[in-house]
Amino acid sequence: QVQLVESGGGLVQPGGSLRLSCAASGFTLSNYVMRWYRQGPGKERELVASISPGGSNRNYADSVKGRFTISRDNARKQVYLQMVSLEPEDTAVYYCNARWTPYGYEYWGQGTQVTVSS
């Protein structure tokens, strides 16, 4: 059974840090580009960060550059999003996404809530 399970969300004060994790199962993680998306209240879902299958290429939304870091451990079947200097605008549900474009395979996690507030 294919699963992506996010964890690590919570309530944090502005300027704080969180580390999100995404545990993958039921498929070969090393074949997939992994992405983190987020959807804030009243907003559309947006791409936050992506990482290539081997981890050598990473891309970020302008709004999080320099503050967020995406990483992966294919052996442990985990993907991470390290977030520092969090701002209230980062408040959103964060989703993990796996995509293997040549074969059209795509999976989503259920999301984890991040709330940045004092």
Side-chain angles (χ1 to χ4, degrees):
Q1 181 182 2
V2 171
Q3 273 193 313
L4 289 173
V5 180
E6 301 95 334
S7 61
L11 174 64
V12 63
Q13 292 187 343
S17 301
L18 281 175
R19 188 196 196 204
L20 305 184
S21 297
C22 173
S25 60
F27 64 100
T28 304
L29 183 64
S30 58
N31 288 333
Y32 288 73
V33 174
M34 297 301 296
R35 295 176 172 88
W36 284 96
Y37 287 80
R38 68 184 181 186
Q39 187 165 15
K43 299 180 180 179
E44 294 188 353
R45 190 173 296 190
E46 64 171 340
L47 176 63
V48 174
S50 64
I51 186 167
S52 59
S56 59
N57 293 319
R58 310 178 194 197
N59 291 284
Y60 300 92
D62 288 343
S63 58
V64 307
K65 276 182 184 176
R67 300 188 299 120
F68 289 12
T69 303
I70 188 171
S71 61
R72 66 192 296 161
D73 185 337
N74 288 337
R76 296 189 176 189
K77 307 197 79 173
Q78 296 276 342
V79 182
Y80 307 101
L81 186 68
Q82 178 69 50
M83 307 185 293
V84 302
S85 302
L86 282 162
E87 304 166 353
E89 293 73 22
D90 296 317
T91 295
V93 178
Y94 284 72
Y95 298 92
C96 181
N97 171 271
R99 190 179 307 161
W100 192 5
T101 301
Y103 294 92
Y105 298 151
E106 184 172 23
Y107 311 117
W108 288 89
Q110 83 290 347
T112 185
Q113 176 71 48
V114 172
T115 302
V116 184
S117 175
S118 56

